[in-house]
Amino acid sequence: MRKALLKDSLKEIRNTYKRFISILLMAFLGVGFFAGMRAASPDMISTIDNYFDSQNVYDIQILSTLGLTNEDIEALEQVEGVKKAYGEYSEDVLINYEDTEIVTKVLPIDNINKVALINGRIPQSKNECLIEKAFCDRTGKKIGDSLNIEEANDSIIKEKRITIVGTMNSPLYVSRQRDTSKLGSGMVSYNMYLPKESFDSEVYTVIYIELENSKQMITDSQEYNNYVQEVTTKIEEVKNKRETARYDEVKAIAQEKLEEGEAKFEEEKTIANNKLKEAENEIIEGEKELNSAEITLNNKSKEAEQKFKLAEENIKIAKSKIKEEEEKLEKEEQNAFSQIELLNKQKQDLQVNLQSINTNIEELQKKLDIINESLNNNNLTQEEIASIQVQKENIEKTLTNIKVQKTQLESGVLSINNVLEKIQNGIKEGKEKLEYAKTTLENNKKELNKTKELTNKQIENGKQEINTSKKQLQEGRKTFETNKVEYEEKIKEAEKELLNSKQKIQEIEHPTWYILDRNSNPGYSGFMQDTKSIENLGRVFPIVFFVIATLISLTSMTRMVEEQRVQIGTMKALGYNKAQIASKYLLYSGLACLIGGSIGMIIGFETLPRIIWMMYSMMYVVPNFVASFNVYFAILGLGIASVCIIGASLYTLLKIVGDTPAQLMRPKAPKSGKRILLERIPFIWKNLSFSKKVTVRNIFRYKKRVFMTIVGIAGSTALILTGFGIKDAISDILIKQYENVYNYDMQISLKSDLEETIIENFVKNLEEKEEINKIAEANMTSGTLANGESEEAVQIIIAKDEKINELIHLSDRKTKKEVQLEEGKIVITDKVAELLEVKKGDSIILKDADGKENRLTISDIVENYIYHYVYMPKSLYEQLYGKYDTNVLFAQNNVKDEQEEELASKLLKEPNINTVSLSSNIENVMDDMMKNLNYVVVILIVSAGMLAFVVLYNLANVNISERIRELASLKVLGFYDKEVYDYVTRETAILTTIGIIFGLIGGYFLSIFIVKTCEINVLRFGQEIRIPSYIYSVAITVIFTLIVNIVTYFALKKIDMIESLKSIE
Amino acid sequence: MSYIEFKNVNKEYKIGEITIKALENTNFSIEKGELVVIVGPSGAGKTTTLNILGGMDNVTSGEVIVDEKQVNKLNNKELIKYRREDIGFIFQFYNLVQNLTAVENVELATQICKDSLDPETIIEKVGLKERKKNFPSQLSGGEQQRVAIARAIAKNPKLLLCDEPTGALDYKTGKQILKLLQDTSRKENMTVIIITHNTALAPMADKVIHFKNGRAEKIETNEKPTSIEEIEW
């Protein structure tokens, strides 16, 4: 390019900077939006790819119906492409927290799927764990606190008291979604990681495979998917062998166990039989012993009786002897008495004699005494003394005689006394002897009686003893009999069990390996789905901008080229060639495009992916977002913008540079007026005011501009409406779910394994509570619906009775008519029906948590917005799975929203309640999510607003410059500023109105399209845009129009009337 | 006092550093109903004078009086009102609105004036009855200028200003247009000012003002103006 030409070009930019900027802005918006939106998805993917690489997330996982072994790992590591295979465990447990049980999935810490530590440290001992932060937030537990794991049968986790040592994020669970569980509410609430040693299991739950080259590839890229597919195919080759090996192994183990069981059974049977026999023998012996004891006792008692009889007889004999003796003694006594009488008489005689002797003696004595006295008397003569002496001698002689006599008498008395004494003694002796005999007899008698009593007592005791023994023995026999029956039953049972085990061995199914890639991870696949949605958005939105950018450049450049007709003609006349002339304009638009595009690109790459990420980070836990500069999209974006903008310029130039200089230098005839169709309809045309006629004619005069205005306004209105529409669609979910479908305020899940009567009473209790309005019982479990290859996780709700109809409305999505459950059929929700491509009346496979499959007919498809549900009549449930039991209650309360929390915590204190979830809480959480959506709306509105502004501004500029003569003439004619303004903007107003109408229609479809592409599997977005959104969209567009009009007003005011005098250039 | 007075009018344009004196102490007066021709070479200040008289430009100093109205003291809004009610303007290039038919172009003017004349009658008067529903592009230059005149007259202005009305027309058509202007002045007692560089037209005027270097150098009054048909050039 010549220097002069370049200078001219640059000057042109400075002089017409408004036009330049408007093209620049379009390039900015187009490229910025394109680059930002398109880069968002790859940025998100590379972010998750980085995260997965750093956490060493598996490429392939293998699950088996019979568990996996070290041999499997060895076999897998032999497969080409496999770098390492990791055997891992997982187990769902219940953690006791206050009065609730929290379903928690326990996973091992390992080098595959490495957890990202947030706080604390990695566990070092068996009873230390890492847990999700959300768990701590909910329970208020901190690092260092302990948790109790509820005891369960066959648990492979032995430690029951675990200490939290840190919080983590698991790369396996990037979304908020957790796995389904057979425990509790049917859903895992949180994940927990324990050291691998804490698991005690012979088989692995899952094998994760790390591939050789996968780290170098971007996850979910074609290359990566092909590579994974390739290795999967190779794994398929070992699959069968390993499955069979595992089958044989399991069967062998079971067989061994069975044999062991049988042996043990036999052994135990023998032992038991022996014991039984022993017991029987003991009883028999006991009986024998008892019998002999009885006999001995009888004998003894007989003997004793005889002895007593003898003794009694002896006593009788003794008695009669005593009588005889008594009689004898009496006789003897009588004899003795008579003897004694005689003796006594003799004695009396003797005594009388004695007395007389004694008196004689006394008299003699006295005489002697007198003699002696007389002798002593000195007065007596000797003769007298001799006489007296002789007298004395006589007397003394007589006295001696008498004394002899007396002695004789006395000895007589003595002998009589002796005899008497002898006799009396004899009697006494006899009496005494008799007395003694009598006493002895009496004693003997007494003794005999005592002995008799004692013996009788002893016999009685013995008898009693024998009786108790007998009773005991009888009881013993009874117990023995029952034991025997029991034992026999047990044996029968054991035999049955053995038979069962045998059958089970027969029934052991051939194991199946499930070889799954990352897409089977719900968080990951959800994330990938979302990146696809974003990608789709990125494909649609920028188109609007590019189309409008093209139109804007087209009109701007056309105008510019036309304005410079004469100059172009002059240059041509001066000898510049086509390319040289065109280069000025191409440089002009090219520069605008490049500068605007580059700025847009940089801003787009930096901001849009980040904003989108910010929104998605509410749903996903993937750290370290990477906003990259994507060369491909940069070049593509700039390329498209260049094609649009420079292409548009080229198009206008081609039309003009072909003309001869003479043609160019002659003024171009102004666009001629034409009658329009409307004029041929007089009754409309005549009723239009003059100014309206002018407006209408003008609209039909500048078709290109009209088209551009309408497209521009329609585009921006559509974008704004789409922004609001997306918000409506998502916020609708809640409103519709909680107004159209759910009428309950609380979902109460009960503790597991409560008895029926307890539940019944409990529900009755709740019903009577003032705060509770309505309540309904149901059973809620998780399951899977499958149709062909596609599967979706669902919640199965089985209502106990009709009460549920007031709390959950089942209604046809289209007709809104209420739907009743039909016997033997199920009702499913609309989104899952759509995903699985089934209709009313089709049959579908329902898998329960245990993997049991049933093919069922769909009686109806009902309206639903959040998650997927299957409603099943109770009768069908009982037919399929046996007894129904309530595990969840749906309730409507009477309290105000603010008091609901209080009610919930009050209810939680009930021992039977596990959790209470308030609908209002879920609504709040969702509301927060909705707030993030406002970002989207803001982005869309701002960019749409900019678009509208650029379009309108540009339009106004073109409009003015194109008609400057006309407008100046009007001013000369004496039009007030306001009239000139009206003259111009009436057109704009009409075009804007038309544009808005098209925009609303377009926006409606665009937002439906976008909502469809963004829709998450488990949600059904609303498809209605609410009236206020239409109003806002219109209002925003109108505001932008007004702003532009104000600018126009001042531009019009500045128009110099002298322009009208100039000749037409 | 005359109907129109131009007293010591100066007009300067500043273009960057340079000041251009377009009018320098210009003085003239025009009576009501006069047909005035202003002649002079390019750049002599004819158009500036017309612009000032038409209320499209203001003076740097001096006084401009039209029908006792001090035009130089009017504010913007009053100026518009002045243009609207008192002035009819005829351009060299007609400046018709391309999108309106002949009669509609006239209407465009009449609808904003209080004492406007009936467009249909005016169109008939300028001899375009048959072509009134044609668009400007369907009319010849002369016909277009007739429409322009009709548009100007229809407003019933006090002053008809014509800037080279025949500049873009051939001789014959030009003559017809001038005839129309002369007739209008005569019949309607309308004050008409025509700018032209063609001095040959001078005899048709009641008054001829010669401009040179921003001054009204010579003002001639024709007692007996020649009918345009008799003038040849």
Side-chain angles (χ1 to χ4, degrees):
Chain A
M1 197 186 255
R2 298 287 155 87
K3 210 178 162 191
L5 209 59
L6 187 68
K7 220 174 188 176
D8 180 45
S9 303
L10 295 179
K11 233 178 219 163
E12 189 67 42
I13 292 172
R14 204 163 62 210
N15 291 340
T16 59
Y17 68 94
K18 283 185 197 160
R19 180 181 291 147
F20 186 76
I21 284 172
S22 74
I23 297 174
L24 187 143
L25 262 177
M26 282 320 302
F28 170 82
L29 283 179
V31 178
F33 234 81
F34 176 83
M37 295 290 283
R38 292 302 293 271
S41 167
D43 281 355
M44 285 169 81
I45 292 173
S46 72
T47 302
I48 200 167
D49 184 60
N50 282 348
Y51 182 51
F52 272 27
D53 283 352
S54 72
Q55 303 311 126
N56 197 24
V57 172
Y58 74 89
D59 296 300
I60 295 171
Q61 67 168 330
I62 292 168
L63 296 166
S64 167
T65 46
L66 282 180
L68 295 150
T69 61
N70 281 324
E71 287 78 38
D72 291 332
I73 291 182
E74 275 163 34
L76 284 167
E77 280 182 342
Q78 298 301 316
V79 175
E80 195 193 325
V82 173
K83 189 173 173 194
K84 197 165 161 52
Y86 300 77
E88 301 292 333
Y89 313 97
S90 83
E91 166 112 323
D92 294 353
V93 299
L94 291 171
I95 289 181
N96 293 318
Y97 167 65
E98 285 179 358
D99 293 328
T100 64
E101 302 155 328
I102 301 172
V103 184
T104 306
K105 189 174 212 80
V106 188
L107 298 151
I109 299 170
D110 206 342
N111 277 330
I112 188 108
N113 311 325
K114 283 190 276 191
V115 294
L117 196 65
I118 305 173
N119 268 320
R121 60 171 173 84
I122 295 289
Q124 269 138 18
S125 76
K126 271 182 160 188
N127 56 358
E128 291 180 337
C129 77
L130 293 175
I131 200 151
E132 284 182 62
K133 194 172 166 292
F135 176 88
C136 296
D137 292 344
R138 172 173 157 196
T139 60
K141 295 262 183 199
K142 291 184 298 292
I143 291 174
D145 289 352
S146 287
L147 302 171
N148 281 330
I149 293 179
E150 204 162 279
E151 288 287 344
N153 290 337
D154 311 329
S155 177
I156 60 170
I157 294 154
K158 298 301 172 209
E159 298 292 334
K160 295 299 170 198
R161 192 157 176 82
I162 309 278
T163 308
I164 303 173
V165 299
T167 54
M168 55 81 207
N169 283 330
S170 168
L172 291 181
Y173 299 90
V174 292
S175 71
R176 305 251 178 274
Q177 198 182 339
R178 297 288 172 267
D179 296 327
T180 55
S181 172
K182 289 182 200 174
L183 299 178
S185 54
M187 272 286 176
V188 171
S189 298
Y190 303 103
N191 294 321
M192 176 200 261
Y193 277 80
L194 282 173
K196 219 171 171 183
E197 306 85 69
S198 311
F199 294 82
D200 179 21
S201 171
E202 282 166 19
V203 292
Y204 300 113
T205 321
V206 57
I207 289 177
Y208 289 115
I209 290 174
E210 180 190 350
L211 295 184
E212 206 73 65
N213 303 321
S214 63
K215 296 268 189 301
Q216 291 95 296
M217 302 174 192
I218 295 282
T219 189
D220 209 39
S221 63
Q222 195 63 44
E223 183 195 20
Y224 173 84
N225 288 343
N226 286 345
Y227 181 55
V228 170
Q229 189 51 52
E230 200 183 297
V231 180
T232 306
T233 319
K234 281 178 195 150
I235 292 174
E236 301 270 1
E237 286 163 19
V238 289
K239 178 184 157 185
N240 277 335
K241 220 164 104 193
R242 289 309 312 157
E243 282 169 353
T244 314
R246 178 66 187 149
Y247 174 70
D248 292 344
E249 189 183 1
V250 170
K251 205 167 176 184
I253 290 170
Q255 193 66 43
E256 205 174 294
K257 259 194 194 157
L258 177 73
E259 272 158 24
E260 244 170 62
E262 271 173 339
K264 206 175 175 192
F265 168 73
E266 286 305 327
E267 198 179 314
E268 267 173 21
K269 198 173 160 187
T270 332
I271 292 171
N273 271 339
N274 285 349
K275 266 192 190 162
L276 213 61
K277 231 171 231 168
E278 240 167 65
E280 204 171 16
N281 282 349
E282 249 170 56
I283 287 172
I284 290 168
E285 221 147 277
E287 276 169 346
K288 258 185 206 161
E289 252 169 54
L290 191 68
N291 274 343
S292 62
E294 214 170 1
I295 290 166
T296 322
L297 187 72
N298 277 343
N299 286 350
K300 270 189 183 159
S301 82
K302 256 181 208 163
E303 230 169 84
E305 246 167 74
Q306 265 170 359
K307 264 185 191 163
F308 290 144
K309 234 181 221 168
L310 214 66
E312 267 164 25
E313 250 162 53
N314 279 350
I315 286 169
K316 241 182 215 170
I317 293 169
K319 250 184 187 171
S320 60
K321 255 185 187 169
I322 286 171
K323 227 178 194 174
E324 253 171 58
E325 290 286 327
E326 252 175 345
E327 275 165 20
K328 218 172 148 185
L329 195 63
E330 229 166 294
K331 255 180 207 167
E332 274 173 17
E333 219 174 6
Q334 267 171 0
N335 280 348
F337 278 141
S338 49
Q339 261 179 359
I340 287 168
E341 239 169 276
L342 206 74
L343 282 172
N344 277 342
K345 246 179 210 169
Q346 283 172 354
K347 201 178 159 182
Q348 265 166 358
D349 288 346
L350 282 174
Q351 264 160 348
V352 171
N353 289 345
L354 206 48
Q355 250 167 352
S356 52
I357 292 166
N358 277 345
T359 357
N360 286 350
I361 294 170
E362 266 169 45
E363 274 169 19
L364 287 170
Q365 208 66 44
K366 265 167 193 175
K367 276 175 186 168
L368 210 42
D369 284 344
I370 296 159
I371 297 163
N372 280 344
E373 251 173 74
S374 335
L375 274 170
N376 287 349
N377 212 342
N378 295 347
N379 309 11
L380 267 174
T381 55
Q382 247 308 218
E383 280 150 58
E384 273 179 309
I385 289 179
S387 93
I388 301 177
Q389 259 312 180
V390 176
Q391 251 184 338
K392 196 194 153 188
E393 275 182 48
N394 282 351
I395 302 172
E396 274 181 334
K397 252 178 199 168
T398 348
L399 205 44
T400 315
N401 279 348
I402 296 171
K403 271 190 182 171
V404 172
Q405 262 186 336
K406 196 192 166 184
T407 316
Q408 274 175 342
L409 263 173
E410 272 177 350
S411 64
V413 171
L414 262 170
S415 62
I416 290 170
N417 272 353
N418 275 351
V419 174
L420 262 173
E421 213 173 313
K422 252 185 198 163
I423 292 168
Q424 271 167 338
N425 278 355
I427 291 168
K428 214 180 169 182
E429 228 172 87
K431 262 184 182 168
E432 264 171 19
K433 253 188 193 166
L434 196 66
E435 212 51 46
Y436 178 74
K438 258 183 182 169
T439 330
T440 319
L441 186 70
E442 213 50 45
N443 282 351
N444 282 351
K445 231 179 178 174
K446 262 182 199 163
E447 221 167 286
L448 181 69
N449 279 341
K450 247 187 210 165
T451 322
K452 221 175 168 180
E453 232 170 83
L454 209 72
T455 316
N456 278 343
K457 230 183 217 165
Q458 272 174 354
I459 287 168
E460 209 49 46
N461 281 352
K463 263 183 189 163
Q464 256 167 14
E465 241 170 72
I466 283 169
N467 275 343
T468 34
S469 302
K470 243 186 195 165
K471 254 182 208 162
Q472 273 173 355
L473 212 65
Q474 260 166 7
E475 257 161 52
R477 189 165 268 284
K478 235 187 222 165
T479 345
F480 169 75
E481 291 299 334
T482 41
N483 279 349
K484 201 173 170 185
V485 172
E486 235 170 74
Y487 160 77
E488 271 159 10
E489 261 168 33
K490 261 187 194 162
I491 282 189
K492 249 183 216 164
E493 244 168 68
E495 270 169 353
K496 224 186 206 170
E497 241 168 68
L498 279 174
L499 210 71
N500 265 355
S501 306
K502 252 183 217 168
Q503 243 166 7
K504 263 188 193 157
I505 291 175
Q506 291 304 316
E507 277 169 18
I508 288 177
E509 264 178 63
H510 207 77
T512 317
W513 270 21
Y514 295 97
I515 306 171
L516 305 168
D517 58 15
R518 285 176 177 175
N519 281 319
S520 64
N521 180 301
Y524 172 83
S525 63
F527 187 90
M528 284 304 163
Q529 243 176 40
D530 287 343
T531 63
K532 295 253 155 57
S533 306
I534 299 273
E535 198 182 322
N536 286 336
L537 283 188
R539 281 181 208 282
V540 179
F541 272 105
I543 289 176
V544 179
F545 285 88
F546 279 134
V547 166
I548 293 167
T550 312
L551 284 171
I552 295 255
S553 338
L554 198 65
T555 44
S556 292
M557 291 313 289
T558 308
R559 186 63 213 147
M560 184 172 172
V561 169
E562 248 152 42
E563 273 172 17
Q564 303 196 347
R565 258 179 91 87
V566 180
Q567 205 192 335
I568 292 170
T570 315
M571 301 242 284
K572 260 202 139 171
L574 284 173
Y576 283 97
N577 64 27
K578 282 184 194 175
Q580 281 167 323
I581 295 167
S583 66
K584 171 184 169 181
Y585 303 96
L586 295 182
L587 181 75
Y588 185 92
S589 57
L591 265 182
C593 177
L594 273 178
I595 295 171
S598 302
I599 299 170
M601 195 164 72
I602 290 161
I603 294 178
F605 277 143
E606 244 339 280
T607 56
L608 278 182
R610 278 189 199 283
I611 292 167
I612 289 165
W613 181 260
M614 210 158 73
M615 283 153 37
Y616 277 93
S617 63
M618 309 286 162
M619 290 190 279
Y620 296 103
V621 186
V622 180
N624 304 326
F625 179 66
V626 190
S628 59
F629 188 88
N630 192 314
V631 179
Y632 172 70
F633 288 125
I635 293 170
L636 192 62
L638 271 184
I640 296 173
S642 305
V643 168
C644 292
I645 292 168
I646 302 174
S649 323
L650 210 58
Y651 169 77
T652 22
L653 282 167
L654 281 177
K655 280 209 311 203
I656 216 162
V657 290
D659 290 350
T660 62
Q663 275 174 322
L664 288 170
M665 282 198 279
R666 222 176 290 140
K668 191 188 176 190
K671 274 212 154 167
S672 53
K674 248 188 244 161
R675 268 178 208 290
I676 56 168
L677 194 66
L678 207 60
E679 289 176 56
R680 315 218 187 270
I681 311 166
F683 86 96
I684 296 177
W685 186 250
K686 276 191 180 150
N687 285 326
L688 287 176
S689 72
F690 177 76
S691 49
K692 276 186 190 140
K693 281 180 197 166
V694 177
T695 307
V696 173
R697 279 241 189 82
N698 276 346
I699 287 172
F700 288 94
R701 184 168 158 203
Y702 305 101
K703 292 200 186 67
K704 206 195 282 173
R705 204 172 64 215
V706 165
F707 180 67
M708 191 192 88
T709 315
I710 292 175
V711 170
I713 299 292
S716 52
T717 311
L719 285 181
I720 296 171
L721 185 63
T722 306
F724 283 112
I726 291 171
K727 201 183 159 197
D728 282 352
I730 297 172
S731 49
D732 245 21
I733 299 173
L734 272 183
I735 298 166
K736 292 207 165 158
Q737 187 75 7
Y738 285 99
E739 280 173 11
N740 294 6
V741 185
Y742 291 163
N743 212 3
Y744 61 80
D745 307 313
M746 299 188 293
Q747 184 184 322
I748 301 167
S749 76
L750 299 176
K751 291 257 167 73
S752 41
D753 301 327
L754 290 179
E755 273 177 40
E756 213 177 309
T757 46
I758 292 177
I759 295 175
E760 227 165 81
N761 287 331
F762 180 61
V763 171
K764 215 173 262 171
N765 260 339
L766 284 180
E767 256 176 341
E768 280 160 13
K769 275 195 190 302
E770 219 181 314
E771 298 99 322
I772 306 281
N773 203 1
K774 285 170 192 163
I775 198 159
E777 292 178 50
N779 176 293
M780 196 153 115
T781 55
S782 42
T784 312
L785 275 182
N787 185 27
E789 287 288 293
S790 34
E791 283 191 359
E792 288 296 329
V794 292
Q795 288 281 320
I796 309 165
I797 294 181
I798 304 102
K800 190 187 179 191
D801 44 36
E802 306 267 283
K803 283 182 192 164
I804 199 127
N805 293 344
E806 289 183 45
L807 297 171
I808 297 178
H809 294 306
L810 302 184
S811 57
D812 190 281
R813 181 180 179 81
K814 279 172 204 142
T815 63
K816 305 280 177 211
K817 263 213 302 230
E818 204 162 299
V819 162
Q820 298 291 336
L821 293 181
E822 283 176 34
E823 287 292 310
K825 293 177 180 174
I826 54 170
V827 165
I828 66 173
T829 49
D830 46 10
K831 184 68 190 277
V832 71
E834 190 187 300
L835 287 171
L836 298 178
E837 293 170 352
V838 287
K839 304 185 302 295
K840 194 171 160 172
D842 287 355
S843 70
I844 194 162
I845 288 171
L846 177 66
K847 278 192 225 172
D848 61 13
D850 296 319
K852 206 171 130 190
E853 295 185 8
N854 287 297
R855 185 166 271 282
L856 300 166
T857 309
I858 301 163
S859 66
D860 269 298
I861 291 167
V862 293
E863 181 181 10
N864 188 65
Y865 298 89
I866 303 174
Y867 211 67
H868 309 312
Y869 293 95
V870 168
Y871 299 96
M872 185 186 278
K874 198 174 145 195
S875 53
L876 178 60
Y877 179 83
E878 281 170 335
Q879 185 192 321
L880 295 177
Y881 304 105
K883 210 172 133 324
Y884 161 90
D885 47 17
T886 298
N887 65 5
V888 66
L889 306 174
F890 296 104
Q892 199 183 56
N893 59 39
N894 274 334
V895 301
K896 286 190 193 123
D897 285 2
E898 311 88 70
Q899 287 154 0
E900 275 193 328
E901 287 283 350
E902 205 179 306
L903 176 63
S905 54
K906 208 169 99 191
L907 286 175
L908 269 178
K909 290 198 184 101
E910 299 274 353
N912 299 330
I913 290 182
N914 191 16
T915 58
V916 176
S917 53
L918 290 173
S919 303
S920 59
N921 271 355
I922 300 167
E923 283 178 64
N924 286 343
V925 170
M926 292 287 279
D927 263 352
D928 285 344
M929 233 169 80
M930 297 301 137
K931 272 179 200 140
N932 299 315
L933 276 170
N934 287 337
Y935 286 117
V936 191
V937 180
V938 169
I939 295 174
L940 285 175
I941 289 170
V942 168
S943 42
M946 281 167 82
L947 188 69
F949 192 83
V950 174
V951 169
L952 289 167
Y953 181 74
N954 200 60
L955 187 79
N957 264 342
V958 171
N959 203 356
I960 291 168
S961 83
E962 205 168 36
R963 294 158 73 182
I964 193 138
R965 257 185 104 70
E966 190 176 309
L967 297 170
S969 306
L970 290 178
K971 279 187 138 184
V972 173
L973 278 178
F975 274 59
Y976 287 120
D977 291 341
K978 176 76 173 48
E979 284 165 336
V980 179
Y981 168 78
D982 284 344
Y983 181 81
V984 175
T985 53
R986 206 175 285 125
E987 270 173 66
T988 322
I990 290 173
L991 294 182
T992 306
T993 311
I994 295 170
I996 285 174
I997 291 166
F998 280 117
L1000 292 181
I1001 296 166
Y1004 174 77
F1005 288 107
L1006 187 61
S1007 73
I1008 283 181
F1009 169 77
I1010 282 159
V1011 162
K1012 280 257 178 220
T1013 45
C1014 295
E1015 207 166 56
I1016 301 165
N1017 260 3
V1018 293
L1019 296 178
R1020 169 177 285 293
F1021 289 173
Q1023 279 173 6
E1024 286 157 38
I1025 303 172
R1026 269 177 270 156
I1027 302 293
S1029 300
Y1030 287 107
I1031 295 170
Y1032 294 148
S1033 311
V1034 172
I1036 290 170
T1037 315
V1038 168
I1039 288 168
F1040 280 117
T1041 315
L1042 287 180
I1043 293 172
V1044 172
N1045 283 351
I1046 291 167
V1047 176
T1048 313
Y1049 178 77
F1050 289 103
L1052 286 172
K1053 220 174 157 179
K1054 274 200 323 213
I1055 289 176
D1056 193 354
M1057 281 168 285
I1058 313 299
E1059 291 282 333
S1060 62
L1061 305 177
K1062 283 185 190 156
S1063 64
I1064 303 160
E1065 281 187 86
Chain B
M1 202 166 97
S2 301
Y3 191 61
I4 296 166
E5 299 252 9
F6 234 66
K7 289 182 188 166
N8 299 322
V9 174
N10 283 295
K11 176 70 189 174
E12 293 169 0
Y13 292 107
K14 273 189 184 156
I15 298 170
E17 302 280 292
I18 314 149
T19 309
I20 296 165
K21 289 202 168 188
L23 292 176
E24 224 181 329
N25 270 330
T26 309
N27 286 291
F28 62 85
S29 61
I30 295 168
E31 299 307 321
K32 191 171 161 62
E34 270 187 333
L35 175 68
V36 179
V37 171
I38 298 177
V39 287
S42 290
K46 304 181 304 252
T47 305
T48 309
T49 306
L50 203 70
N51 285 351
I52 290 169
L53 270 178
M56 290 184 270
D57 213 344
N58 35 32
V59 298
T60 311
S61 68
E63 240 186 311
V64 178
I65 295 164
V66 176
D67 193 16
E68 295 170 351
K69 203 179 272 171
Q70 268 210 296
V71 179
N72 59 313
K73 286 197 175 153
L74 298 178
N75 65 22
N76 192 36
K77 200 158 180 202
E78 286 163 335
L79 268 178
I80 297 174
K81 196 165 180 267
Y82 166 72
R83 287 204 297 270
R84 195 181 178 104
E85 285 165 8
D86 299 345
I87 303 294
F89 211 99
I90 294 156
F91 306 88
Q92 182 180 4
F93 300 105
Y94 338 123
N95 288 14
L96 295 179
V97 177
Q98 294 297 314
N99 213 16
L100 301 177
T101 58
V103 69
E104 281 165 354
N105 264 294
V106 179
E107 273 177 53
L108 185 68
T110 57
Q111 59 151 351
I112 61 167
C113 291
K114 286 187 291 190
D115 313 315
S116 62
L117 308 171
D118 177 43
E120 302 277 339
T121 330
I122 301 292
I123 278 289
E124 228 169 288
K125 250 185 204 165
V126 298
L128 287 174
K129 192 182 173 187
E130 306 300 317
R131 317 214 52 171
K132 65 175 181 184
K133 290 210 168 147
N134 286 31
F135 283 100
S137 57
Q138 296 162 330
L139 299 172
S140 70
E143 284 167 332
Q144 285 190 51
Q145 197 60 299
R146 276 167 198 269
V147 177
I149 293 168
R151 186 174 68 182
I153 298 169
K155 281 165 79 178
N156 200 13
K158 289 178 179 163
L159 194 58
L160 203 59
L161 301 175
C162 314
D163 185 7
E164 300 270 10
T166 56
L169 299 174
D170 57 61
Y171 174 78
K172 205 177 152 202
T173 323
K175 225 173 182 180
Q176 285 169 0
I177 293 299
L178 290 171
K179 169 101 177 69
L180 181 60
L181 288 172
Q182 197 176 33
D183 288 352
T184 310
S185 172
R186 298 276 176 274
K187 285 177 191 158
E188 317 283 338
N189 193 27
M190 175 99 52
T191 315
V192 177
I193 299 171
I194 299 169
I195 287 181
T196 180
H197 57 270
N198 188 355
T199 40
L201 296 182
M204 68 173 282
D206 295 314
K207 189 179 267 173
V208 184
I209 303 171
H210 294 272
F211 264 76
K212 203 174 181 185
N213 296 327
R215 284 169 202 267
E217 264 207 345
K218 194 167 77 181
I219 301 171
E220 296 170 307
T221 314
N222 288 338
E223 292 304 324
K224 274 207 165 162
T226 322
S227 169
I228 192 73
E229 284 103 334
E230 292 162 32
I231 301 172
E232 301 281 338
W233 64 87

